[in-house]
Amino acid sequence: MSSNRKHEPIDWHGAAAKLSLDGRMFVGGERHPALGEETFDKRSPIDGRELCPVARCREADIDRAVASARQAFDDRRWAGKSPAARKKVLQKFAEQITAAGSELALLETLDMGKPVQYSLAVDVAATARCIAWYGEAIDKVYDEIAPTAASALALITREPMGVIGVVVPWNYPMIMAAWKLGPALAAGNSVVLKPSEKSPLTALRLAELALAAGIPPGVFNVVPGYGHEAGEALALHMDVDAIGFTGSTRVGRKMLDYAGRSNLKRVYNELGGKSAFVVFPDFADLDRAAKTIAGSMFFNQGESCNAPSRLLVHRDIADAFVERLAAEAPAYRPGDPLGGKAPMGAMVDEGQLDTVLGYIEAGKSEGARLVTGGNRVDADSGGFYIEPTVFDGVDNRMKIAREEIFGPVLSVLRFDSEEEALAIANDTSYGLQASVWSDNINRAHRVARALRAGTVHVNCYDEDDISVPFGGYKQSGNGRDKSLHALEKYSELKTTWIRIDS
Ligand code: NAD
């Protein structure tokens, strides 16, 4: 699919009708069916249409992919290249991603339901930027010499780890993969990527683009399939050196167990969240705060790990704030994801739709007040759409305040003091992100320090740059994606002592 001329709107429906889809696995630089020839059907959440059969990889396929990755690592066809040479290839890979932007955006939207204009402007752009950034960085990272006695030279060097298993979710399929691929490939590793069974298509296409850009065969392999089959086999594999996982806390727990039961591979977990957005009465611009939380909460249909799903607002301004939210939220009503204008698209599948509707019922039955939304809409399209939903009068002990909903449902909780706000904000098993809104500089710093989260925003939300780490405290995970720190996850640290005789 060629990209559009400037200012000419893309006919996404027309483009979708012409798109050719390929769900076969990608191993050793080639497409293959799964060894057992098994497939699963991939349906689009936007209208229920069948997209294509996708290879259902099982243990034997994972063995094949890991063997290919191991051979590529051992013969150093990628690891042995200079950082400057790897940089050039990764930059080319990023250029290929940008050039195939319309096609990748369409695949992402058909697969998981987000509005196509965001797939293009956010997902494709961030994926290309991430790959290019790690390429750019890798020939500027130096190793170390320790300050030992003069009788020795102690070198501290970083080496690629080997074969990295990557297991990712469906909410930002390309970006989540890129956050692992960028540092893992830049550092010289080989990768076996298992995308979510709900969104396998862009990962497979990315592997083809990587090969075309010069990433040698076997260095980047993609094995679609179910979590309990392909994902489990990859995480249990004795020849995989580390797992970069993004997904639910439930499966993150399993990843640690798989490592314990196999070769003690490193496990980097990036997990769920229930992030607090805390608004104090000394913050003047309530309109901006209300617009910000609505935008961040309802972006990507609320299917974001860092969605600010708990709004904590001081009782003195709570009514005024909820009034603003009630006016803001309906503007996010979902629409046709291929139309190019809808602010929200479809939930990823019927299961997720039912889960979110179940939480909405739980909110009502536990006594929260439904302010707006709460319903499935456009069911006759065959797709899975839910209105932006706001509950007021939520207590932090309610299910909708404690559990990650992963849909467009915002809970409003009221507080009377800074102390109470902090107690509520930190009373969660998660610790991914948080936000404090205050015009008092002392309070803003005090609260930002006390919030137990990997990222804290002050008078903003969803700030994003590839140069800063992303990850959580507590049960939101143990790793950090993005930034130079992510290179550490996929590198071994080696000490070499050299004796110097006098
Ligand atoms: P999930 O945990 O169900 O699945 C994630 C991946 O794990 C998928 O590829 C799946 O096939 C695989 N998997 C499932 N069961 C497995 C098993 N038994 N063994 C091995 N692999 C298995 O999560 P999801 O529903 O795809 O994604 C939503 C979750 O991801 C949310 O909790 C969200 O917060 C989290 N997430 C976190 C971040 C972050 O950076 N912290 C970013 C995006 C999403």
Side-chain angles (χ1 to χ4, degrees), residues 301-324:
Q301 304 74 243
E303 296 164 332
S304 298
C305 52
N306 65 332
S309 52
R310 288 185 303 149
L311 165 65
L312 277 53
V313 58
H314 192 277
R315 200 171 302 279
D316 289 353
I317 53 166
D319 287 343
F321 202 93
V322 170
E323 214 172 279
R324 283 171 168 82

Side-chain angles (χ1 to χ4, degrees), residues 23-38:
R24 290 175 300 161
M25 66 197 276
F26 189 93
V27 170
E30 289 172 348
R31 292 281 199 158
H32 306 272
L35 286 168
E37 306 267 331
E38 281 181 287

Side-chain angles (χ1 to χ4, degrees), residues 167-172 176 179 194-198 225-228 231-232 235 245-251 254-255 258 270-273 304-305 404 406 432 470 476 481:
V167 181
V168 289
W170 46 262
N171 60 337
Y172 295 95
M176 293 304 106
W179 285 3
K194 201 221 61 84
S196 169
E197 59 275 24
K198 298 178 187 181
Y226 291 110
H228 64 283
E232 178 171 331
F245 175 68
T246 299
S248 62
T249 298
R250 181 184 67 82
V251 177
K254 288 183 190 246
M255 290 293 174
Y258 297 144
E270 306 288 345
L271 310 174
S304 298
C305 52
E404 185 183 42
F406 227 53
L432 191 55
F470 186 107
S476 287
D481 280 330

Side-chain angles (χ1 to χ4, degrees), residues 204-438:
L204 290 164
R205 190 71 186 102
L206 283 180
E208 289 179 333
L209 296 172
L211 183 77
I215 303 233
V219 171
F220 174 20
N221 308 278
V222 181
V223 284
Y226 291 110
H228 64 283
E229 294 173 354
E232 178 171 331
L234 185 60
L236 278 171
H237 206 288
M238 293 299 286
D239 215 12
V240 169
D241 299 288
I243 286 283
F245 175 68
T246 299
S248 62
T249 298
R250 181 184 67 82
V251 177
R253 239 180 258 287
K254 288 183 190 246
M255 290 293 174
L256 295 168
D257 179 49
Y258 297 144
R261 282 163 49 202
S262 56
N263 59 347
L264 293 179
K265 56 180 70 64
R266 313 269 163 90
V267 174
Y268 304 110
N269 275 332
E270 306 288 345
L271 310 174
K274 195 74 196 175
S275 300
F277 187 105
V278 187
V279 186
F280 286 96
D282 58 27
F283 185 74
D285 193 350
L286 292 189
D287 282 336
R288 186 165 78 78
K291 278 189 199 312
T292 302
I293 191 168
S296 293
M297 182 64 234
F298 301 128
F299 186 70
N300 215 47
Q301 304 74 243
E303 296 164 332
S304 298
C305 52
N306 65 332
S309 52
R310 288 185 303 149
L311 165 65
L312 277 53
V313 58
H314 192 277
R315 200 171 302 279
D316 289 353
I317 53 166
D319 287 343
F321 202 93
V322 170
E323 214 172 279
R324 283 171 168 82
L325 274 178
E328 250 344 285
Y332 290 86
R333 189 188 192 282
D336 174 12
L338 292 179
K341 291 205 165 72
M344 285 209 302
M347 307 307 297
V348 72
D349 63 7
E350 195 166 8
Q352 190 63 16
L353 174 97
D354 290 342
T355 300
V356 176
L357 291 174
Y359 276 111
I360 292 172
E361 283 314 306
K364 289 184 200 163
S365 66
E366 283 189 298
R369 182 176 74 82
L370 185 63
V371 176
T372 181
N375 299 304
R376 178 179 186 179
V377 290
D378 300 336
D380 52 0
S381 67
F384 311 117
Y385 301 89
I386 297 184
E387 291 175 309
T389 300
V390 178
F391 278 106
D392 193 6
V394 177
D395 183 287
N396 207 40
R397 284 163 297 193
M398 290 178 186
K399 199 171 150 86
I400 55 170
R402 300 210 77 76
E403 296 179 18
E404 185 183 42
I405 298 175
F406 227 53
V409 182
L410 173 62
S411 296
V412 183
L413 299 89
R414 299 173 183 225
F415 66 84
D416 291 297
S417 67
E418 185 179 311
E419 198 183 18
E420 189 191 5
L422 271 173
I424 298 172
N426 286 334
D427 178 18
T428 167
S429 57
Y430 294 111
L432 191 55
Q433 300 206 343
S435 171
V436 47
W437 294 71
S438 170

